Amino acid sequence: MTILGAMTSPKRKTIQTMKPATAAKKLGVLLSATPAEFQAGVVSRDELNELQSSPPAWLADLRRNGPHPKQVIAAKLRVSISGLARSGITGPLTTAEIDALKAENPAWLERERSIQAETRKEALRLKQR
């Protein structure tokens, strides 16, 4: 009966946690720009959901002003992460720096945007096959 009892006893629900770097990536922010207490601890799935649904002031400010990680920079500029690397952008940028790049619209940005557009168009074509 002890085996049967072990089989039918309810399992304890374990709390899923993640490293701060993983949580920062999921939140779309740069880990080094987050508060020290965020960087020092672990983040549960429930805490992450709470941060996403009602972000505290520090998170809203980071999302609005940066500094932004490369995946966010690439999305805001409508280029790939590889395109950023080819253009020499390897570090984080603020929203103001991204806006300045958009306004300047250098040749590399136009080129990388066209490459990205062609890549998306080709991916869509292949998906529709």
Side-chain angles (χ1 to χ4, degrees):
M1 279 253 188
T2 56
I3 295 174
L4 183 59
M7 294 172 121
T8 59
S9 66
K11 292 184 178 180
R12 290 186 184 158
K13 187 176 181 182
T14 58
I15 297 173
Q16 288 183 325
T17 60
M18 62 192 83
K19 294 178 182 176
T22 304
K25 188 171 185 173
K26 289 181 181 285
L27 292 169
V29 296
L30 196 63
L31 178 62
S32 61
T34 61
E37 59 271 8
F38 181 86
Q39 293 178 34
V42 294
V43 180
S44 72
R45 174 63 63 185
D46 292 337
E47 290 170 331
L48 179 69
N49 291 340
E50 180 65 26
L51 287 170
Q52 289 173 325
S53 64
S54 56
W58 64 264
L59 180 56
D61 185 52
L62 272 178
R63 286 178 167 170
R64 186 176 36 257
N65 301 318
H68 302 289
K70 60 186 168 191
Q71 66 268 22
V72 174
I73 298 168
K76 287 180 178 268
L77 291 175
R78 297 188 332 261
V79 300
S80 67
I81 293 173
S82 299
L84 288 177
R86 283 190 294 270
S87 67
I89 296 177
T90 56
L93 295 177
T94 63
T95 300
E97 292 169 324
I98 293 168
D99 291 342
L101 271 174
K102 286 180 180 179
E104 183 185 327
N105 201 23
W108 70 263
L109 183 55
E110 285 185 37
R111 183 179 61 253
E112 291 300 334
R113 281 181 173 168
S114 68
I115 291 169
Q116 184 71 355
E118 286 298 317
T119 302
R120 286 185 179 142
K121 197 157 81 171
E122 180 65 13
L124 182 61
R125 184 187 71 79
L126 292 174
K127 186 177 178 181
Q128 291 176 344
R129 288 178 118 187

